[in-house]
Amino acid sequence: MKHSFRNDYSELAHPRILEAFSSVGNQQFESYGLDKCSANAASLLRKTFNAPSADIHFISGGTQANLVAISSILRPHEAVIAPTTGHIFVHEAGAIEATGHKVCTREGHNGKLRVVDIESILDEHTDEHMVKPRLVYISLSTECGTVYTKSELTTISEFCRANKLFLYIDGARLGSAINSPACDLTYSDVAALVDIFFVGGTKNGALFGEAIVICNDKLKSDFRFHIKQHGAMLAKGATIGLQFETLFKDGLYDELAEHSGKMAKRLADGIRTLEFEFLFPPETNLIIPIFTEDVANTMHQSYDFYDWQKFENTVAVRLLTSWATTECAVDEFLADLKAHRG
Amino acid sequence: MKHSFRNDYSELAHPRILEAFSSVGNQQFESYGLDKCSANAASLLRKTFNAPSADIHFISGGTQANLVAISSILRPHEAVIAPTTGHIFVHEAGAIEATGHKVCTREGHNGKLRVVDIESILDEHTDEHMVKPRLVYISLSTECGTVYTKSELTTISEFCRANKLFLYIDGARLGSAINSPACDLTYSDVAALVDIFFVGGTKNGALFGEAIVICNDKLKSDFRFHIKQHGAMLAKGATIGLQFETLFKDGLYDELAEHSGKMAKRLADGIRTLEFEFLFPPETNLIIPIFTEDVANTMHQSYDFYDWQKFENTVAVRLLTSWATTECAVDEFLADLKAHRG
Amino acid sequence: MKHSFRNDYSELAHPRILEAFSSVGNQQFESYGLDKCSANAASLLRKTFNAPSADIHFISGGTQANLVAISSILRPHEAVIAPTTGHIFVHEAGAIEATGHKVCTREGHNGKLRVVDIESILDEHTDEHMVKPRLVYISLSTECGTVYTKSELTTISEFCRANKLFLYIDGARLGSAINSPACDLTYSDVAALVDIFFVGGTKNGALFGEAIVICNDKLKSDFRFHIKQHGAMLAKGATIGLQFETLFKDGLYDELAEHSGKMAKRLADGIRTLEFEFLFPPETNLIIPIFTEDVANTMHQSYDFYDWQKFENTVAVRLLTSWATTECAVDEFLADLKAHRG
Amino acid sequence: MKHSFRNDYSELAHPRILEAFSSVGNQQFESYGLDKCSANAASLLRKTFNAPSADIHFISGGTQANLVAISSILRPHEAVIAPTTGHIFVHEAGAIEATGHKVCTREGHNGKLRVVDIESILDEHTDEHMVKPRLVYISLSTECGTVYTKSELTTISEFCRANKLFLYIDGARLGSAINSPACDLTYSDVAALVDIFFVGGTKNGALFGEAIVICNDKLKSDFRFHIKQHGAMLAKGATIGLQFETLFKDGLYDELAEHSGKMAKRLADGIRTLEFEFLFPPETNLIIPIFTEDVANTMHQSYDFYDWQKFENTVAVRLLTSWATTECAVDEFLADLKAHRG
């Protein structure tokens, strides 16, 4: 097999992450995230997001971040609003329901939820015979590879605040969004507009690890109990702190996200040149072109990637680039695609 | 502060673990634990435990291993039997109860559960007004630093099999037990006597990671769903597989456990020479001597360790050694202790 | 206000139910459903459903029956398939999710799920990143007032058995279905085709109470633990047993269901005569005609009923009859409707 | 068998309860507890308890009341403090744990929790590795048949308020306590000293039904969602409202409780005269005398009652009287006891 475009977590970790591990030797750290690396990393994130009073917690994966954060917020009868493409609704094996909460969905547009979607769910949920929607979950960038604009996110944020809904962002690919030319949001904007979100490390160069950022004071109390109760508190918490310190102390996080975005753009431009269309606008390191069935099948013989959706004679395929994807790998894919297009 | 004896997870990881990470470069791996490193590690564990048909899954921490495994086994009305000192009962923030299950306890002896304890719980639970005990949880080595002998574990195992109880071992410190002179159990014995257990990496040199070993066929189906649902399935599963491969391919796991055991023995022998007693027999890398209050307070000024239990004028303190503890650090502690003993 | 068509549980209980209570005086009964009335009622139900080996349990309400039964069956990662109009998905305040399980839905047709709907959900759920569908939930009669035919139910049953899915019927209105001219199913058919279901008392003359009937041996074990754990085991279990004894010992159950069906038919026929259409075919004691907005508003001034769905200038309204609805009340409604039709 | 002293819920319902049902005929009621009977009953309870702003909800049983109320209050990491004899810890099949919460226990004294017990649990729970105790559960009267005095309850109440613990009373037998000569508490005292409690109907003459009384404003919001989500919202809510109206409109509740208390006192006095001792002071309608094994066995041949605890040659047995127990039945028991005492 040639280079895999299956996902952005195929490679273990960026070399600078591994160097950071090696550099500490047999040093002893406080356990459970109370170490100095985690404290430094939290400071760097507070600065990056211009959120000096945010609480920051590090945990090992995205599904875990979602379930710990969401279940810490909701009372038993409260529910989450999400787009039907939302990771928590589709690909987390019912993790949110396993903590007792229903996920109410609407289709949205291009993987993005709109105020009209949220509104229609609120209109439907009027009494105690139904759950009570209390939190809006969106992903940035989305599972469709798209981004919310500042105007879109602001509108949602204002609606949520007016309707007593908490706003949560799954930022497994937050770097790819912020570094996307299609996205005019800054890190500060995100922290200012939402109540709680997480910043993904796993999909942007870390060995593993996500940083949960709690902006709304009401959501801060006793958060460490929830982390512990879900088995999400690493004994060697410094392991994640150290990685985020490395990613945020001198711009590595943006550097890696920007690179993977550029590789995806190179890939998307090449695909468009070959006259294929896209299911959703290609805005980040995840793009979904539509190939004919024949082309898709042939490309599958050399490359690893997911089929997103099958249509009559075509198939939308999901291609991802990472911090480790090279121009060379992209160009090889494009050359093969051109050859097989017939 | 001088060397910390607070726990066996203060240092990040053994250098050979970090070398393993560095050695793979930008290689691409299958995700979610379906990679070749995890497969190799599983093979090595099956060989070590002489359990050719065991299912093996890697996850990131001990509390997570306990809650994923136990909740995958029990129906909603079923309960766990554990000693009152059991980690799941004391120090997991109600993780088992959060999955819906009661933990029924007995004091036991020296941190160990006995058949008489299990029996008395069964006698009490006779109808549907109470929970139904279904699984016995024990730790090896225990939270008190003691070990079960082969005879003790065999007796429990036979009782469980005769009474339709699954037997589960929390092996966060399994290495320390197997390498303890007080323990005549082999790895093979463990796998032969219990239904499911986990082998701890975090407390024996890994950056993080535990290996769940399922011996009983009845407990194998759909286990990966449970891992995923609890957010315990690492995207970069190779990260743990690689570590266990490193620990088990040429004896590193035993080497590290043996070392920490030796350091603890050196420490215990020295403490005994100074005429302090122990709360429990010091059998592994966790020992609990009883100091006078004065001595404990003075030692706390230079060393980091937990107080286990306070008595009238004395205090039982918990001291742990690790793969990284040096003879030098032990001797310095003993010298200081001697000096302060008065 | 005149007669209410809001639901079929507005009146407390049929007089013969109350007489049964009075007749027992200060007699002492075994508690928790182990009394002789419950045993007699269970025998009568086994006979009615031609299910001599079924296990039968009485509990107080429909939502409770659904949540106890469904959560007793599923492992944590398993999910329910239901139509989007299913009571468990819409009107039980997230009760199923509160027990940890996701409900996967399809629109279906006229409130009924079809094999094609179930199939499309199975096709989508292929690995451990998603929940595992394990039980199909349907209502008979449905929340839209429609019924499954014998052919429809047989097809679903066969598909479920071929695909390792349990089939569950919410029979809150089972009497109305079996006594509907549109339904060619017998009580025996129901028990033969499904794994577990409940027979509704509350909506057919009882003060309260539903009978859970477990046909599939695999679902029988320890069921009373689940009832107790959810607080659904009445201390005075005879209270429900006595009611079901009364309903089934000499045909009262069918008599009441047949009456409410007839009243609904009289109502539907009258409405059709006035040239209103129906949203779904009116087949049971729940019918959903479509009125103009004006007519609906005017009728609301004298009658109590739900609006089911609003359209541009019309509104589908839900009308229910019960064992206590009189011809007189129906005719008065029809006369008023005719007068307001303009 | 002669009269059963097994429990206080062997007889169905007091005749005046049944008359109330019959008196309403085919009247139509609002459903789900929003009817006028429930409103009237709530008013009567607010008056009885001198709690004009309390929220009152009716549900069908005691275990259900406990689980709905407690799970509505606690966040996922929070726990309940209870005596080891507490109904929620022993006899509810793990219902509280099934909602995700741990129950932390102490032995207490005579079935009663003391401040020293609560304090020792708080001292032990200091960080996020353990659950966070948040609610104190006690029963009045207790499972041992004893009562708290006003001074005892006041001390606990003050301690709870000073330590941010909610205080909850399981009042399944509240009538028996308030009407006990050993108890100087009034209904008003109870409401003034605790945050939330329930008043038992099932064990004092009702067919079934308990009234949850919420005194603390912080615990009131969205309570009906929790009732619904646990399947505890009766469609025909008037059924319980009507019973509580009947019990509280002209003193029936106290009348019945006083009667059963008197019968228990007659029984206890007679037993004491025969020179048997009691395991706990006999203060209510539940008494626990200690018989020799021979006497207990012989009495079991004619009477139904539980063995509470076995000792070497004796056995403590639990005897209960109800509103329906007659002097005649008591005297017959005493005569038989005297005859068998030898």
Short mmCIF file of all heavy atoms in Angstrom, two decimals, chain A residues 146-174:
data_model
loop_
_atom_site.label_atom_id
_atom_site.label_comp_id
_atom_site.label_asym_id
_atom_site.label_seq_id
_atom_site.Cartn_x
_atom_site.Cartn_y
_atom_site.Cartn_z
N THR A 146 -15.95 20.73 7.01
CA THR A 146 -16.31 22.13 6.84
C THR A 146 -16.05 22.92 8.13
O THR A 146 -15.83 22.34 9.18
CB THR A 146 -17.79 22.27 6.45
OG1 THR A 146 -18.58 21.55 7.42
CG2 THR A 146 -18.04 21.66 5.08
N VAL A 147 -16.12 24.25 8.02
CA VAL A 147 -15.90 25.11 9.19
C VAL A 147 -17.06 26.07 9.38
O VAL A 147 -17.76 26.42 8.43
CB VAL A 147 -14.60 25.94 9.04
CG1 VAL A 147 -13.39 25.02 9.03
CG2 VAL A 147 -14.65 26.80 7.78
N TYR A 148 -17.28 26.47 10.61
CA TYR A 148 -18.23 27.55 10.90
C TYR A 148 -17.49 28.87 10.70
O TYR A 148 -16.31 28.99 11.06
CB TYR A 148 -18.72 27.48 12.34
CG TYR A 148 -19.64 26.32 12.62
CD1 TYR A 148 -19.13 25.06 12.90
CD2 TYR A 148 -21.02 26.50 12.62
CE1 TYR A 148 -19.98 23.98 13.16
CE2 TYR A 148 -21.88 25.43 12.88
CZ TYR A 148 -21.35 24.17 13.14
OH TYR A 148 -22.19 23.13 13.40
N THR A 149 -18.18 29.85 10.15
CA THR A 149 -17.58 31.19 10.08
C THR A 149 -17.84 31.89 11.40
O THR A 149 -18.66 31.46 12.21
CB THR A 149 -18.22 32.02 8.96
OG1 THR A 149 -19.61 32.18 9.29
CG2 THR A 149 -18.08 31.33 7.62
N LYS A 150 -17.16 33.01 11.59
CA LYS A 150 -17.36 33.79 12.82
C LYS A 150 -18.82 34.22 12.94
O LYS A 150 -19.41 34.18 14.02
CB LYS A 150 -16.44 35.01 12.81
CG LYS A 150 -16.54 35.81 14.10
CD LYS A 150 -15.42 36.81 14.22
CE LYS A 150 -15.58 37.59 15.54
NZ LYS A 150 -14.49 38.56 15.73
N SER A 151 -19.39 34.59 11.83
CA SER A 151 -20.78 35.04 11.86
C SER A 151 -21.71 33.88 12.24
O SER A 151 -22.62 34.03 13.05
CB SER A 151 -21.14 35.62 10.49
OG SER A 151 -22.50 35.46 10.22
N GLU A 152 -21.47 32.73 11.67
CA GLU A 152 -22.30 31.56 12.00
C GLU A 152 -22.19 31.18 13.47
O GLU A 152 -23.18 30.92 14.15
CB GLU A 152 -21.89 30.36 11.12
CG GLU A 152 -22.34 30.48 9.67
CD GLU A 152 -21.71 29.41 8.76
OE1 GLU A 152 -20.65 28.83 9.15
OE2 GLU A 152 -22.25 29.17 7.67
N LEU A 153 -20.96 31.14 13.97
CA LEU A 153 -20.78 30.73 15.36
C LEU A 153 -21.35 31.77 16.32
O LEU A 153 -21.92 31.43 17.36
CB LEU A 153 -19.29 30.48 15.65
CG LEU A 153 -19.01 29.84 17.01
CD1 LEU A 153 -19.64 28.45 17.11
CD2 LEU A 153 -17.50 29.73 17.28
N THR A 154 -21.21 33.03 15.94
CA THR A 154 -21.76 34.10 16.79
C THR A 154 -23.27 34.00 16.89
O THR A 154 -23.85 34.13 17.97
CB THR A 154 -21.35 35.48 16.21
OG1 THR A 154 -19.92 35.53 16.12
CG2 THR A 154 -21.84 36.61 17.12
N THR A 155 -23.91 33.75 15.77
CA THR A 155 -25.36 33.61 15.76
C THR A 155 -25.81 32.46 16.66
O THR A 155 -26.74 32.58 17.44
CB THR A 155 -25.86 33.33 14.32
OG1 THR A 155 -25.28 34.31 13.46
CG2 THR A 155 -27.37 33.43 14.25
N ILE A 156 -25.14 31.34 16.54
CA ILE A 156 -25.48 30.19 17.39
C ILE A 156 -25.24 30.53 18.85
O ILE A 156 -26.06 30.25 19.73
CB ILE A 156 -24.65 28.95 16.97
CG1 ILE A 156 -25.09 28.46 15.59
CG2 ILE A 156 -24.79 27.84 18.00
CD1 ILE A 156 -24.28 27.30 15.05
N SER A 157 -24.12 31.14 19.13
CA SER A 157 -23.76 31.48 20.51
C SER A 157 -24.81 32.40 21.13
O SER A 157 -25.25 32.19 22.26
CB SER A 157 -22.39 32.16 20.52
OG SER A 157 -22.07 32.62 21.80
N GLU A 158 -25.21 33.40 20.37
CA GLU A 158 -26.22 34.33 20.91
C GLU A 158 -27.55 33.63 21.14
O GLU A 158 -28.21 33.85 22.15
CB GLU A 158 -26.40 35.52 19.95
CG GLU A 158 -25.23 36.49 20.05
CD GLU A 158 -25.21 37.52 18.93
OE1 GLU A 158 -26.09 37.44 18.02
OE2 GLU A 158 -24.30 38.37 18.93
N PHE A 159 -27.92 32.77 20.22
CA PHE A 159 -29.17 32.03 20.39
C PHE A 159 -29.11 31.15 21.65
O PHE A 159 -30.05 31.09 22.43
CB PHE A 159 -29.47 31.19 19.15
CG PHE A 159 -30.77 30.44 19.27
CD1 PHE A 159 -31.98 31.06 18.94
CD2 PHE A 159 -30.81 29.13 19.75
CE1 PHE A 159 -33.19 30.38 19.08
CE2 PHE A 159 -32.02 28.45 19.89
CZ PHE A 159 -33.20 29.08 19.54
N CYS A 160 -28.00 30.48 21.81
CA CYS A 160 -27.84 29.60 22.98
C CYS A 160 -27.95 30.40 24.27
O CYS A 160 -28.65 30.00 25.20
CB CYS A 160 -26.50 28.86 22.93
SG CYS A 160 -26.48 27.55 21.68
N ARG A 161 -27.24 31.51 24.33
CA ARG A 161 -27.27 32.32 25.56
C ARG A 161 -28.68 32.84 25.84
O ARG A 161 -29.10 32.91 27.00
CB ARG A 161 -26.25 33.45 25.47
CG ARG A 161 -24.87 32.88 25.73
CD ARG A 161 -23.70 33.80 25.52
NE ARG A 161 -22.47 32.99 25.64
CZ ARG A 161 -21.25 33.44 25.40
NH1 ARG A 161 -21.05 34.69 25.04
NH2 ARG A 161 -20.21 32.62 25.53
N ALA A 162 -29.40 33.18 24.79
CA ALA A 162 -30.77 33.69 24.99
C ALA A 162 -31.73 32.58 25.41
O ALA A 162 -32.80 32.85 25.95
CB ALA A 162 -31.25 34.35 23.70
N ASN A 163 -31.34 31.34 25.15
CA ASN A 163 -32.25 30.23 25.41
C ASN A 163 -31.74 29.24 26.46
O ASN A 163 -32.18 28.09 26.51
CB ASN A 163 -32.55 29.48 24.10
CG ASN A 163 -33.45 30.30 23.19
OD1 ASN A 163 -34.65 30.28 23.34
ND2 ASN A 163 -32.84 31.06 22.27
N LYS A 164 -30.81 29.71 27.28
CA LYS A 164 -30.28 28.88 28.37
C LYS A 164 -29.75 27.53 27.90
O LYS A 164 -30.02 26.49 28.51
CB LYS A 164 -31.35 28.66 29.44
CG LYS A 164 -31.73 29.96 30.11
CD LYS A 164 -32.43 29.73 31.43
CE LYS A 164 -32.79 31.08 32.05
NZ LYS A 164 -33.71 30.97 33.17
N LEU A 165 -29.06 27.55 26.80
CA LEU A 165 -28.42 26.34 26.30
C LEU A 165 -26.91 26.53 26.40
O LEU A 165 -26.40 27.58 26.01
CB LEU A 165 -28.78 26.12 24.82
CG LEU A 165 -30.24 25.80 24.49
CD1 LEU A 165 -30.47 25.91 22.99
CD2 LEU A 165 -30.60 24.40 24.99
N PHE A 166 -26.21 25.54 26.91
CA PHE A 166 -24.76 25.63 26.90
C PHE A 166 -24.27 25.27 25.49
O PHE A 166 -24.86 24.43 24.82
CB PHE A 166 -24.14 24.65 27.91
CG PHE A 166 -24.48 25.00 29.33
CD1 PHE A 166 -25.29 24.17 30.10
CD2 PHE A 166 -23.99 26.17 29.90
CE1 PHE A 166 -25.60 24.49 31.41
CE2 PHE A 166 -24.30 26.50 31.23
CZ PHE A 166 -25.11 25.66 31.97
N LEU A 167 -23.18 25.91 25.08
CA LEU A 167 -22.62 25.63 23.76
C LEU A 167 -21.26 24.95 23.93
O LEU A 167 -20.38 25.45 24.63
CB LEU A 167 -22.47 26.95 22.97
CG LEU A 167 -21.90 26.84 21.56
CD1 LEU A 167 -22.67 25.85 20.69
CD2 LEU A 167 -21.87 28.21 20.89
N TYR A 168 -21.14 23.80 23.30
CA TYR A 168 -19.95 22.96 23.43
C TYR A 168 -19.34 22.69 22.07
O TYR A 168 -20.07 22.37 21.13
CB TYR A 168 -20.38 21.63 24.07
CG TYR A 168 -19.30 20.57 24.17
CD1 TYR A 168 -18.45 20.53 25.28
CD2 TYR A 168 -19.15 19.62 23.18
CE1 TYR A 168 -17.47 19.55 25.39
CE2 TYR A 168 -18.16 18.64 23.28
CZ TYR A 168 -17.33 18.61 24.38
OH TYR A 168 -16.35 17.64 24.50
N ILE A 169 -18.04 22.81 21.98
CA ILE A 169 -17.38 22.48 20.71
C ILE A 169 -16.47 21.28 20.87
O ILE A 169 -15.61 21.24 21.76
CB ILE A 169 -16.57 23.68 20.16
CG1 ILE A 169 -17.52 24.71 19.55
CG2 ILE A 169 -15.55 23.23 19.12
CD1 ILE A 169 -16.83 25.90 18.92
N ASP A 170 -16.68 20.31 20.00
CA ASP A 170 -15.77 19.18 19.85
C ASP A 170 -14.66 19.66 18.93
O ASP A 170 -14.85 19.82 17.72
CB ASP A 170 -16.54 18.00 19.24
CG ASP A 170 -15.64 16.80 18.95
OD1 ASP A 170 -14.44 16.99 18.68
OD2 ASP A 170 -16.16 15.67 18.97
N GLY A 171 -13.50 19.92 19.53
CA GLY A 171 -12.41 20.50 18.77
C GLY A 171 -11.33 19.48 18.43
O GLY A 171 -10.15 19.84 18.38
N ALA A 172 -11.75 18.25 18.18
CA ALA A 172 -10.77 17.23 17.81
C ALA A 172 -9.89 17.74 16.67
O ALA A 172 -8.71 17.45 16.59
CB ALA A 172 -11.47 15.93 17.41
N ARG A 173 -10.50 18.53 15.78
CA ARG A 173 -9.75 19.13 14.66
C ARG A 173 -9.84 20.66 14.70
O ARG A 173 -10.03 21.32 13.69
CB ARG A 173 -10.28 18.60 13.32
CG ARG A 173 -10.00 17.12 13.09
CD ARG A 173 -10.19 16.69 11.66
NE ARG A 173 -9.91 15.27 11.51
CZ ARG A 173 -10.86 14.31 11.55
NH1 ARG A 173 -12.12 14.65 11.72
NH2 ARG A 173 -10.51 13.04 11.40
N LEU A 174 -9.69 21.21 15.89
CA LEU A 174 -9.79 22.67 16.03
C LEU A 174 -8.66 23.37 15.28
O LEU A 174 -8.87 24.41 14.65
CB LEU A 174 -9.77 23.06 17.51
CG LEU A 174 -10.07 24.52 17.81
CD1 LEU A 174 -11.46 24.90 17.33
CD2 LEU A 174 -9.95 24.82 19.29
#
